[in-house]
């Protein structure tokens, strides 16, 4: 069931709310190793900086043409890194000029309640969510957005999402 | 040393040139067929070449198309751009990046060599397939050329290149190569670089052998070479753009191609050749025989004539003018000889007759005796079946039998009546005297027995030697009978000759003692007229009467 893990790695989970919720800016690494970004999808709360260290003995050139954030980090060598700050929430598709097969998605979330489901079981727990009306968003690069409203109270709640993906099953 | 027969010369003259022509025509046919085979090989080689050129062109086109797509790959362009911007110190990494890219690209495309050059045509990156993976190419070992054939680490690649442009700017070029594989050649071929053999798929020969064999060939000419125990016809492939210094020669085995022909030729040669040679031997033999036959005939006739001593005109059915002329020349010569011989024998006959006449002339009354004895003898000889030659000897011998009487004084010889003992002894000398005369005459030796022995008796009581029976030759015994008969039947001056019957009576009485019984009987078989009347010449009869002598007396006298 490797493909399940693979697909789960592409999935981002975050919270949308009418009232602004606080973010938690951080510096997050997305390594490039073996001509791949080590994750398909990276979740970064708005305001975070993402560092793209090159762990390959060859050059990489990370860039994005996404509306959320357009950048081109240029060619850089092994163990060098370039960092990009993502202020605006949205999806940023990241590529490498030199390696067309390299691709990653950076999901810049509006607040700090964001993450990726666990590899085992596909579970993600949003803790300490302020009470009130929110929307839980699940995103998958090819399946798109799945939204579910939730009224958060003191009791824990569970939401189930079904994400249809086309997988060439072996 | 014996000289070889003429027939041999004719045989050899007939056989050798035709044999030569036969061998020559076989050789010519073989050469022509060999040339035919070579022409076929040439065509096949040219077809191979055309196929090669077409295949190569098709491959080039395909390479160019694929390259065109690759060259538009933005990542690759980025790679080229990276190479330009990479500073000192990061060059190796940049090259690795580019090589990594082209490795990625080539993974699924079936190329064996991928090279990148910058805008100044300096190689900047290169990878070569090594087993399952790829290996960095040592760029220093690469030549300047970026298309055609390329030698790298003991391998030969066919390389096609295309420029890589970013917008209007040339970034460099990308070259892809496939291993130049002779194994896909169905025919043997050799690849040379500046005259050195770099690839070869000639069976049973390594590059060194092929190199050595090729040494004899020109640069672009058709050439025959011997490699690995086989002869090949080789043609350089034209119109195959392989790059500077490279040339491909394809080869075709002449041996393999001409083997079936050789087999057929060998069979034809064996069959037709042996038949032709046999026929030729036969024909030559017959020809030699036919040419020589008139000559050998002539020679045989001549040698026969020589041994017989008689030169008869040769009748030869001459089939050629020369032999006819030869035979005529011989006949002329023989005719001349024959004439000379005829004249000679006429003179000789004359001599004999004059001798015989001389004998008879001594005694008028015995005239014709020698002639008659000769005739009687011949008559007997014919009865006992003598041949012409024997009869001739008999005839002449009988004519001469009394030649010795020349030495007997007239007084004794012509004495009428009885002879005294001494006189008879003188008479008895005449055979020996005769021998002495005759043995001095050349060619008369065959008459000696008749002259010397005609008084020998069958029982050995005769003179001069007292020989008996077969010791005396038959012709002499014949003359003995004939002589006695004529003596008895001839008239003498002092007596009349006996009748035939009386004479025969005495001959019969004395048969076995004085005479050979067989010859007496032979004489008797002639009848009362032993000679045809016309041939009888009795002088005594012509003279007339003669004194009668009693039979016993006469017999006594003669038989002494």
């Amino acid at each position: 069931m490797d493909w399940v893990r693979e697909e789960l790695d592409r999935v981002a989970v975050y919270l949308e709310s009418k009232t602004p919720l606080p973010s938690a800016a951080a510096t997050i690494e997305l390594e490039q190793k073996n001509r791949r970004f080590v994750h398909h999808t990276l979740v970064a709360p708005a305001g975070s900086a993402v560092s793209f260290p090159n762990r390959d003995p060859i050059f990489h050139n990370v860039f994005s043409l996404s509306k959320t954030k357009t950048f081109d980090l240029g060619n850089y060598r092994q163990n060098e890194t370039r960092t990009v700050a993502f202020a605006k929430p949205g999806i940023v598709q990241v590529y490498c000029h030199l390696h067309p097969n390299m691709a990653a998605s950076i999901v810049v979330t509006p607040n700090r309640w964001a993450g990726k489901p666990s590899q085992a079981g596909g579970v993600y727990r949003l803790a300490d969510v302020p009470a009130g009306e929110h929307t839980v968003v699940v995103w998958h690069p090819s399946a798109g957005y799945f939204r579910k409203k939730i009224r958060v109270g003191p009791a824990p709640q569970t939401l189930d999402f079904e994400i249809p993906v086309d997988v060439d099953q072996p | 040393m014996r000289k070889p027969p003429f027939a041999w010369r004719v045989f050899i003259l007939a056989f050798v040139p035709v044999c030569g022509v036969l061998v020559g025509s076989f050789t010519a046919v073989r050469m022509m067929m060999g040339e035919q085979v070579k022409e076929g090989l040439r065509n096949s080689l040219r077809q191979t070449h055309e196929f090669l050129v077409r295949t190569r062109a098709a491959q080039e086109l395909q390479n160019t198309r694929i390259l065109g797509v690759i060259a538009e790959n933005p990542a690759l362009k980025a790679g080229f751009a990276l190479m330009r911007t990479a500073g000192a110190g990061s060059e190796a990494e940049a090259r690795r990046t580019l090589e990594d890219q082209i490795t990625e690209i080539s993974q699924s495309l079936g190329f064996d060599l991928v090279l990148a050059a910058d805008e100044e045509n300096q190689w900047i990156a290169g990878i070569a397939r090594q087993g399952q993976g790829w290996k960095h190419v040592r760029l220093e070992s690469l030549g300047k050329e970026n298309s055609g054939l390329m030698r790298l680490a003991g391998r030969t690649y066919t390389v096609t290149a295309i420029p890589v442009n970013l917008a209007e700017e040339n970034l460099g070029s990308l070259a892809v190569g496939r291993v130049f594989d002779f194994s896909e050649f169905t025919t043997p071929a050799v690849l040379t670089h500046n005259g050195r053999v770099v690839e070869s798929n000639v069976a049973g020969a390594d590059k060194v052998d092929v190199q050595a064999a090729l040494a004899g060939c020109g640069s672009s000419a058709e050439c025959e070479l011997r490699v690995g125990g086989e002869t090949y016809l080789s043609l350089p492939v034209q119109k195959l753009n392989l790059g500077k210094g490279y040339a491909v020669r394809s080869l075709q085995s002449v041996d393999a191609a001409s083997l079936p022909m050789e087999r057929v030729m060998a069979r034809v040669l064996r069959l037709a050749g042996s038949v032709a040679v046999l026929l030729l031997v036969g024909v030559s033999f017959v020809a030699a025989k036919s040419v020589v036959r008139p000559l050998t005939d002539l020679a045989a006739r001549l040698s026969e004539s020589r041994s017989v001593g008689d030169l008869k005109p040769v009748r030869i059915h001459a089939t050629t003018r020369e032999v006819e002329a030869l035979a005529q020349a011989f006949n002329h010569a023989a005719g001349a000889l024959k004439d000379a011989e005829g004249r000679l024998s006429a003179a000789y006959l004359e001599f004999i007759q004059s001798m015989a006449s001389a004998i008879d002339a001594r005694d008028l009354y015995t005239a014709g005796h020698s002639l008659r004895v000769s005739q009687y003898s011949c008559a007997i000889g014919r009865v006992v079946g003598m041949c012409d030659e024997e009869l001739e000897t008999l005839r002449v011998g009988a004519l001469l039998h009394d030649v010795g009487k020349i030495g007997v004084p007239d007084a004794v010889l012509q004495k009428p009546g009885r002879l005294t003992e001494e006189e008879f002894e003188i008479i008895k000398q005449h055979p020996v005297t005769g021998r002495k005369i005759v043995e001095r005459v050349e060619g008369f030796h065959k008459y000696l027995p008749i002259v010397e022995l005609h008084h020998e008796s069958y029982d050995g009581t005769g003179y001069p030697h007292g020989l008996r029976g077969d010791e005396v030759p038959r012709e002499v015994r014949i003359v003995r009978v004939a002589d006695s008969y004529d003596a008895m039947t001839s008239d003498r001056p002092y007596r009349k000759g006996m009748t035939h019957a009386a004479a025969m009576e005495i001959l019969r009485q004395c048969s076995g003692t004085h005479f050979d019984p067989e010859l007496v009987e032979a004489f008797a078989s002639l009848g009362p007229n032993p000679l045809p009347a016309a041939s009888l010449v009795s002088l005594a009869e012509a003279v007339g009467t003669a004194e009668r002598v009693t039979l016993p007396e006469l017999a006594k006298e003669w038989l002494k």
Side-chain angles (χ1 to χ4, degrees), chain A residues 35-36 54 56-61 75-79 96-101, chain B residues 73-76 78-79 81-82 85-86 88-90 93-94 96-97 100-101 104:
Chain A
R35 274 185 249 95
R36 290 286 178 274
N54 179 356
D56 279 329
I58 55 174
F59 277 87
H60 281 299
N61 182 349
N75 297 311
Y76 57 96
R77 303 170 61 179
Q78 184 170 27
N79 293 330
C96 174
H97 265 308
L98 296 167
H99 304 104
N101 292 336
Chain B
N73 182 328
L76 192 67
L82 168 69
T85 52
S90 67
E93 216 163 325
R96 224 169 17 244
T97 307
D100 186 68
Q101 285 184 313
E104 187 84 16

Side-chain angles (χ1 to χ4, degrees), chain B residues 13-303:
Chain B
L13 282 178
F15 181 74
V16 170
V18 182
C19 217
V21 167
L22 196 70
V23 170
S25 38
F26 266 115
T27 312
V29 166
R30 239 190 100 169
M31 276 168 69
M32 273 158 61
M33 286 184 78
E35 202 41 55
Q36 205 81 36
V37 165
K38 271 187 200 164
E39 191 52 43
L41 288 181
R42 247 172 248 138
N43 281 335
S44 145
L45 280 173
R46 286 194 200 104
Q47 275 169 15
T48 307
H49 294 179
E50 254 173 60
F51 175 74
L52 269 179
V53 171
R54 273 207 305 275
T55 309
R56 168 85 184 129
Q59 201 186 55
E60 194 111 358
L61 185 66
Q62 195 197 1
N63 286 355
T64 312
R65 281 175 182 159
I66 295 172
L67 271 174
V69 175
I70 296 171
E72 289 309 316
N73 182 328
L76 192 67
K77 289 184 183 183
F80 271 83
L82 168 69
M83 280 303 295
R84 299 170 96 185
T85 52
S90 67
E91 230 174 77
E93 216 163 325
R95 172 175 303 154
R96 224 169 17 244
T97 307
L98 186 56
E99 284 174 357
D100 186 68
Q101 285 184 313
I102 56 184
T103 305
E104 187 84 16
I105 292 166
S106 308
Q107 212 69 262
S108 53
L109 289 178
F111 295 122
D112 301 304
L113 180 72
V114 186
L115 299 169
D118 64 13
E119 71 277 18
E120 278 156 6
N121 256 339
Q122 296 290 320
W123 297 115
I124 51 173
I127 52 160
R129 201 187 281 275
Q130 183 96 32
Q132 291 299 310
W134 294 82
K135 207 183 151 227
H136 164 69
V137 169
R138 283 178 57 242
L139 300 174
E140 314 84 72
S141 62
L142 291 170
K144 281 264 160 222
E145 300 292 324
N146 67 353
S147 66
L149 288 185
M150 197 174 276
R151 289 282 296 163
L152 191 66
R155 281 198 195 156
T156 310
Y157 299 90
T158 53
V159 177
T160 316
I162 196 170
V164 177
N165 297 324
L166 185 61
E168 295 300 305
E169 191 188 1
N170 177 244
L171 294 174
S173 61
L174 188 71
V176 293
R178 292 177 208 266
V179 169
F180 185 75
D181 193 5
F182 266 142
S183 63
E184 68 196 40
F185 276 54
T186 49
T187 52
V190 178
L191 173 71
T192 57
H193 184 224
N194 296 326
R196 251 173 38 78
V197 173
V198 289
E199 297 281 349
S200 153
N201 68 341
V202 179
D206 60 17
K207 290 177 192 171
V208 180
D209 296 338
V210 176
Q211 178 80 56
L214 269 177
C217 292
S219 55
S220 65
E222 171 190 324
C223 159
E224 252 186 80
L225 53 148
R226 244 190 113 61
V227 186
E230 264 200 271
T231 306
Y232 293 91
L233 187 74
S234 130
L235 270 180
V237 184
Q238 312 281 358
K239 293 183 271 179
L240 189 61
N241 183 24
L242 298 171
K244 218 167 161 187
Y246 285 99
V248 172
R249 271 179 178 279
S250 65
L251 285 74
Q252 285 272 20
S253 169
V254 176
D255 296 342
S258 43
L259 202 64
M261 183 213 53
E262 292 281 352
R263 283 215 189 99
V264 170
M265 278 301 289
R267 205 181 307 152
V268 168
L269 196 72
R270 265 203 302 276
L271 216 86
S274 47
V275 167
V277 166
L278 276 177
L279 212 66
L280 194 54
V281 167
V283 168
S284 302
F285 186 71
V286 170
K289 274 222 120 154
S290 107
V291 167
V292 173
R293 180 181 220 114
L295 290 175
T296 50
D297 279 357
L298 195 58
R301 199 63 67 84
L302 287 175
S303 77

